[in-house]
Amino acid sequence: MEIIWWLIAVSVVLVGLITWAFLWAVDSGQFDNLDAPATAILMDDDKVPGDPQRETAPSTSSRGAG
Amino acid sequence: MTDDDPRTESVTCFHCGDDVPRGTSWAVDIDGMSRPMCCAGCQAAAETIAGHGLSAFYAQRTLASARPTQDLPDFDAYDDAALDAACPLLADGAREAHLVLEGMRCAACAWLIETGVRRLPGVLDASVNLATSQARLRFDPARTRLGDLLAAIWQLGYRAWPYDARRRQAVLDHARRDALRRLGIAGLFGMQVMMVATALWFDPTASGIGRYLSALNWLNLAMTLPIVGYAAVPFYRGAWRTIRAGQLGMDVPVSLGILLAFAGSVWHTITGESTYFDSVAMFVTLLLAARFVELLMQQRASSLLDHATRILPAVVERIELVDGLRRVVRVPARDLVPGDRVLVKPGSAFVVDGIVRAGASSCDESILTGESLPVARGVGDPVLGGSTNVESPLEIEVTAVGRGVFMARVAELVARAAAGKPRLAQLAGRISGWFVGGVLATAVGAALWHGLVLGQPWLPIVIAVLVISCPCALALATPAALTAASGALLERGVAVLRTGALEDLVAVTHVVFDKTGTLTTGRLRLMEVVVHHGDEAHWRRIAAALEAHSEHPLATALVEAAGPGPRPLAHALVNTPGAGIEGTIDGVRHALGSRRFVATRVATCPAPGAAAPFVQEALLAVDGRVVAEFRLRDTLRVDAVETVAALRAAGLALAIFSGDRPAAVACIGAELGIADARGGMQPADKLAALEALQADGAVVAVVGDGINDAPMLARAALSFAVANAAEHAKLSADLVALRDEIAGVAVAFVLARRTRQITRQNLGWALGYNVFALPLALAGYVAPWFAAFCMSASSLVVTLNAARLRRTR
């Protein structure tokens, strides 16, 4: 049963890591828009018939820090 | 959209899903298929979408699109007057614009706007948020202009307005993130606490884990610290606020329960007894979750009508003398001073009060005064800021700006009226005061009894009483029902702006309607044609030909009444604003206008008929004689009759207070069967009449749309603004319709009554549970794990019961 000391230590470290990740996610706006990105990935937006103005650089889909 | 009647083979518009009118042939080629369209607006939007290779939108969307508007506003103004307000300059030289979007229905719409805008040259980034109907764009001002971006979104079939993000969005975002952070922390650490606590629930000595009891208690103590010290802080603040106000709010026993249970558990950790950390964690997490959902609901409702912060560039054309010549210069409205001369084109709004110095036109003042028809304005007449010029250009001299403008004066009246708004006692508030007092008294009594009389340790009993009676279900009972009801109303197109408005709705005894724009659409319709000579259909076409190029509502109604067929062409038109129009058709001079206007052009003018229920008439004269009389009136909304009938069936007394002419108001009142129909009322008159009603003990709800209703809306116990209402009216309202209909009023009443029923069931359950559990806790029979289980179960019952509101009818 001495393993319980290890388990306690591991769980404390884990909850710390998860908390850090969660706070980062909230502060960087990951929870601000929960609907649009879900469909954005399903849609094919490369099909541009004869549009010379299409920019060659891939569009920046990052949300950018708020 | 409802399904089409199977008997008629109607074609539906591929873009918006409405029926395609017969005899029209709008269509767009989408992915090789010709798709029918109902109007030029849908056609233009669909062509834009298909032309940009975005037709995947139609495959992905889950709802038909909103019907686009056909005429685009003047976007250029955003690039000279309002640019800095609308989009702040970022450090890297780019500009950032925050937009409010209207017409978005599903996630595919968000994709369409994002993709469509990103393809424009000069756009650096675009992100669209469906939940809040807002968009954020970053663009390079050297390569594109804000006006072009707005126009592109409008062409896709949506309406977009910049708004001042710095003022409101930052506050909303901060509140939401803060609540989410606290909820997340409570949840994460709560899981940790529960994991350990579950192991300790079942006879720790038998499972062999008892040896580590002390260490595990210390671990839970550490894990509960962030919950008690950070996540639960809003409860302490709430409790402090109510105590300072001299009341006992729900947050008082919540805070006491949290702090006492935590303090007691800390003491037991030191002495090595069983602890209540799991109860604390679960309690805080559940309550925070309920409040978070409530917050999201409120923010969603208010962001949908974020019109208050919408930036409308007020640019005016000022007449200046340059080298002795009169020149028109575009200047921001804030630079105007009294005495300036301003040119106002037909179709644009007056931004200031003034006096007409040149020209003659008619002005639509319906939003200010409730007058349903444009009023004639000539040289020397005053015009009001906020009204719209309808017919021809006017040169006005500015008499008042800023705080002196009519609208600003009404705003002051609104502020004064709001201070006198009756506050109805809330059911939960009444109960919670007694309940909280009762729980605290019981706890103190138990402490005294166990401590002084029996001589036992009293702390565990007090904690048990506070934890088990911790009004989890009671605290959730009302918010859960209100949140579910707000959600259900939002789906039916009504936004609830003030929490508690639904509870107040139940107490309402009188409903007062405004007329123009609320019960009626504010548009004229041809009622009957009295023909003196010739053929009615021919005169209808002649009238339409004369009025084809006028913006006046009478003209629009006559053109509409003529039908879609070919009509003759009129030329040499002479318009006399506020009176009539003359023109030549097939070589013959025709005159169409008011009785007085026509009387000067004919030998004998027929006497006006009996007082018929119409508000406007137009006589057509040819060759010196009157050939036809057109009678028009304001039209009721399609859902007005049903709504009034539903409200009357609910036992409410109804009245109409309007600024329009008494005859027109009486006519609408008779049609709807509302006896108390008063007309000709100024904003202050309406307020006085409302106060008279309230003095007689009536609880009044007001349904209105105009600036002139705003004071009344602010003063009423409950107020409802319709979708196209003026901003002042919306800001003063408790409920706002999001769609252009008033059926939402009746729905709100039905849902409010249902909400009260559910709230009562919830309160009954919560109180019953406490009455059952409290004696057990007092006697010391309740194990912590059972208390925690009962608490969650009772909260779950309350939440699920509230969720039934979403399925109401």
Side-chain angles (χ1 to χ4, degrees):
Chain A
M1 281 300 273
E2 297 310 310
I3 187 129
I4 200 163
W5 302 114
W6 283 105
L7 289 176
I8 288 174
V10 167
S11 72
V12 169
V13 169
L14 264 181
V15 85
L17 279 178
I18 294 170
T19 305
W20 174 81
F22 171 75
L23 291 180
W24 170 83
V26 172
D27 288 336
S28 65
Q30 302 293 318
F31 293 104
D32 286 357
N33 187 358
L34 298 174
D35 312 291
T39 36
I41 199 161
L42 294 175
M43 307 270 254
D44 173 22
D45 56 351
D46 303 327
K47 191 178 64 174
V48 184
D51 185 358
Q53 290 184 336
R54 173 92 166 104
E55 295 191 359
T56 43
S59 58
T60 49
S61 56
S62 69
R63 289 277 156 268
Chain B
M1 287 290 103
T2 52
D3 285 335
D4 299 312
D5 189 339
R7 284 168 301 179
T8 60
E9 284 183 45
S10 57
V11 184
T12 53
C13 173
F14 187 68
H15 185 75
C16 74
D18 283 356
D19 287 346
V20 175
R22 285 171 198 286
T24 58
S25 57
W26 284 295
V28 175
D29 202 41
I30 295 169
D31 290 343
M33 295 267 287
S34 178
R35 303 291 194 177
M37 296 289 153
C38 68
C39 60
C42 285
Q43 186 181 33
E47 260 170 6
T48 310
I49 293 170
H52 284 72
L54 299 171
S55 48
F57 165 70
Y58 288 110
Q60 292 290 337
R61 68 176 180 178
T62 51
L63 288 166
S65 305
R67 188 192 276 218
T69 38
Q70 293 182 30
D71 36 83
L72 306 184
D74 173 24
F75 293 118
D76 289 342
Y78 283 104
D79 289 297
D80 34 77
L83 185 64
D84 283 316
C87 32
L89 200 57
L90 300 179
D92 57 354
R95 281 191 186 270
E96 186 176 67
H98 292 256
L99 310 180
V100 181
L101 299 166
E102 290 173 19
M104 284 212 298
R105 297 233 170 123
C106 64
C109 294
W111 171 84
L112 179 66
I113 297 173
E114 261 184 24
T115 316
V117 171
R118 275 203 200 121
R119 284 186 181 165
L120 299 171
V123 175
L124 305 171
D125 189 19
S127 76
V128 175
N129 190 332
L130 178 66
T132 56
S133 294
Q134 286 163 358
R136 199 174 64 216
L137 309 179
R138 272 198 314 124
F139 63 95
D140 180 358
R143 293 171 61 204
T144 188
R145 301 183 317 144
L146 178 61
D148 295 341
L149 303 181
L150 290 173
I153 296 177
W154 281 67
Q155 277 157 12
L156 289 171
Y158 303 90
R159 274 155 292 159
W161 307 93
Y163 74 100
D164 195 344
R166 281 163 295 184
R167 232 183 321 165
R168 219 169 103 76
Q169 193 58 28
V171 177
L172 287 182
D173 275 349
H174 184 261
R176 196 178 58 240
R177 284 185 182 179
D178 186 63
L180 184 61
R181 223 180 271 130
R182 291 184 200 274
L183 174 61
I185 293 289
L188 282 172
F189 284 87
M191 279 191 266
Q192 194 68 26
V193 172
M194 286 306 291
M195 186 173 76
V196 172
T198 320
L200 296 178
W201 281 351
F202 304 100
D203 197 6
T205 39
S207 60
I209 207 163
R211 285 194 292 144
Y212 305 98
L213 185 65
S214 173
L216 290 175
N217 275 345
W218 280 105
L219 174 66
N220 264 359
L221 168 61
M223 290 292 140
T224 316
L225 260 181
I227 301 179
V228 175
Y230 171 71
V233 169
F235 300 119
Y236 314 147
R237 285 202 195 120
W240 182 234
R241 247 200 319 274
T242 52
I243 288 173
R244 250 191 336 194
Q247 292 159 347
L248 280 181
M250 211 50 111
D251 281 341
V252 174
V254 167
S255 305
L256 262 182
I258 294 169
L259 290 176
L260 256 179
F262 183 69
S265 300
V266 170
W267 177 246
H268 283 189
T269 305
I270 296 167
T271 59
E273 292 167 75
S274 63
T275 53
Y276 302 99
F277 290 121
D278 51 334
S279 306
V280 176
M282 191 189 258
F283 184 45
V284 172
T285 310
L286 277 175
L287 274 186
L288 282 176
R291 293 200 183 180
F292 184 63
V293 172
E294 206 185 337
L295 179 82
L296 285 189
M297 217 63 221
Q298 262 177 27
Q299 289 203 348
R300 182 163 152 68
S302 63
S303 72
L304 279 179
L305 38 105
D306 214 341
H307 297 208
T309 50
R310 191 189 262 192
I311 298 167
L312 294 174
V315 179
V316 293
E317 299 198 324
R318 185 162 67 187
I319 300 171
E320 295 175 1
L321 281 179
V322 180
D323 301 331
L325 296 168
R326 283 157 63 86
R327 291 280 179 272
V328 172
V329 184
R330 285 165 67 91
V331 296
R334 60 174 181 274
D335 291 354
L336 287 180
V337 291
D340 279 351
R341 294 291 180 94
V342 178
L343 191 68
V344 181
K345 288 185 197 152
S348 28
F350 299 98
V351 293
V352 290
D353 290 357
I355 293 174
V356 179
R357 288 297 177 216
S361 179
S362 52
C363 302
D364 178 3
E365 295 181 352
S366 61
I367 209 155
L368 296 169
T369 61
E371 164 77 48
S372 59
L373 291 172
V375 285
R377 289 282 181 254
V379 175
D381 289 338
V383 290
L384 297 175
S387 62
T388 309
N389 186 8
V390 177
E391 280 180 279
S392 50
L394 285 177
E395 183 184 329
I396 64 163
E397 183 184 325
V398 179
T399 54
V401 293
R403 292 177 61 84
V405 175
F406 180 78
M407 274 174 70
R409 292 202 304 275
V410 175
E412 272 174 39
L413 199 55
V414 170
R416 275 211 307 279
K421 190 179 183 101
R423 295 278 167 219
L424 302 176
Q426 314 261 293
L427 186 59
R430 275 202 313 269
I431 290 186
S432 72
W434 285 103
F435 179 82
V436 170
V439 167
L440 293 182
T442 314
V444 170
L448 291 176
W449 174 257
H450 282 273
L452 295 180
V453 181
L454 299 181
Q456 292 170 343
W458 53 272
L459 189 61
I461 304 289
V462 172
I463 291 171
V465 168
L466 283 174
V467 166
I468 201 152
S469 70
C470 245
C472 211
L474 197 64
L476 278 173
T478 315
L482 288 182
T483 308
S486 310
L489 268 178
L490 202 57
E491 280 166 21
R492 287 165 178 74
V494 180
V496 181
L497 292 195
R498 179 169 66 82
T499 351
L502 280 172
E503 283 187 90
D504 293 354
L505 209 53
V506 180
V508 166
T509 55
H510 286 60
V511 181
V512 172
F513 288 95
D514 170 51
K515 184 184 77 76
T516 311
T518 304
L519 288 171
T520 67
T521 55
R523 281 191 298 273
L524 289 174
R525 196 184 56 193
L526 184 62
M527 284 286 289
E528 59 170 338
V529 184
V530 178
V531 182
H532 297 297
H533 302 281
D535 169 42
E536 178 181 330
H538 176 64
W539 298 134
R540 281 186 182 224
R541 283 198 293 274
I542 295 282
L546 289 168
E547 298 281 17
H549 303 289
S550 174
E551 298 282 322
H552 197 283
L554 187 145
T556 320
L558 286 175
V559 170
E560 211 170 84
R567 63 168 180 252
L569 191 67
H571 57 96
L573 289 166
V574 180
N575 186 19
T576 314
I581 192 164
E582 271 185 293
T584 305
I585 297 169
D586 300 333
V588 184
R589 202 72 182 150
H590 291 69
L592 178 70
S594 68
R595 197 169 291 273
R596 212 183 311 153
F597 175 77
V598 170
T600 60
R601 287 161 176 78
V602 293
T604 51
C605 186
F614 58 86
V615 290
Q616 184 83 344
E617 57 179 358
L619 279 65
L620 180 63
V622 185
D623 290 336
R625 62 180 183 180
V626 174
V627 291
E629 293 181 31
F630 298 93
R631 290 173 178 176
L632 303 98
R633 52 167 292 185
D634 203 358
T635 46
L636 279 178
R637 278 177 190 272
V638 278
D639 49 4
V641 176
E642 294 172 41
T643 305
V644 165
L647 293 179
R648 189 175 292 122
L652 297 161
L654 305 177
I656 302 178
F657 292 177
S658 175
D660 204 359
R661 281 154 300 158
V665 179
C667 164
I668 293 289
E671 193 163 335
L672 289 169
I674 298 176
D676 187 7
R678 313 179 201 177
M681 299 175 97
Q682 295 286 313
D685 299 338
K686 289 190 173 194
L687 188 57
L690 177 76
E691 280 167 354
L693 271 182
Q694 289 178 333
D696 290 343
V699 180
V700 187
V702 171
V703 187
D705 75 316
I707 302 282
N708 59 332
D709 301 319
M712 197 164 64
L713 289 170
R715 181 73 169 82
L718 198 110
S719 48
F720 195 107
V722 295
N724 44 6
E727 279 167 23
H728 272 303
K730 280 188 177 170
L731 288 178
S732 326
D734 299 318
L735 299 158
V736 175
L738 300 173
R739 299 183 202 141
D740 193 11
E741 57 187 28
I742 62 165
V745 180
V747 175
F749 271 96
V750 171
L751 214 63
R753 288 184 182 197
R754 186 115 177 79
T755 306
R756 184 174 60 171
Q757 208 182 335
I758 295 271
T759 308
R760 282 196 171 157
Q761 288 169 4
N762 278 353
L763 287 173
W765 167 267
L767 285 175
Y769 152 78
N770 278 308
V771 165
F772 175 73
L774 206 58
L776 294 179
L778 276 175
Y781 285 129
V782 180
W785 67 269
F786 188 69
F789 170 79
C790 288
M791 223 165 57
S792 349
S794 105
S795 309
L796 204 62
V797 166
V798 164
T799 315
L800 290 179
N801 191 30
R804 294 195 300 141
L805 276 170
R806 283 199 168 264
R807 289 187 283 119
T808 304
R809 195 158 51 93

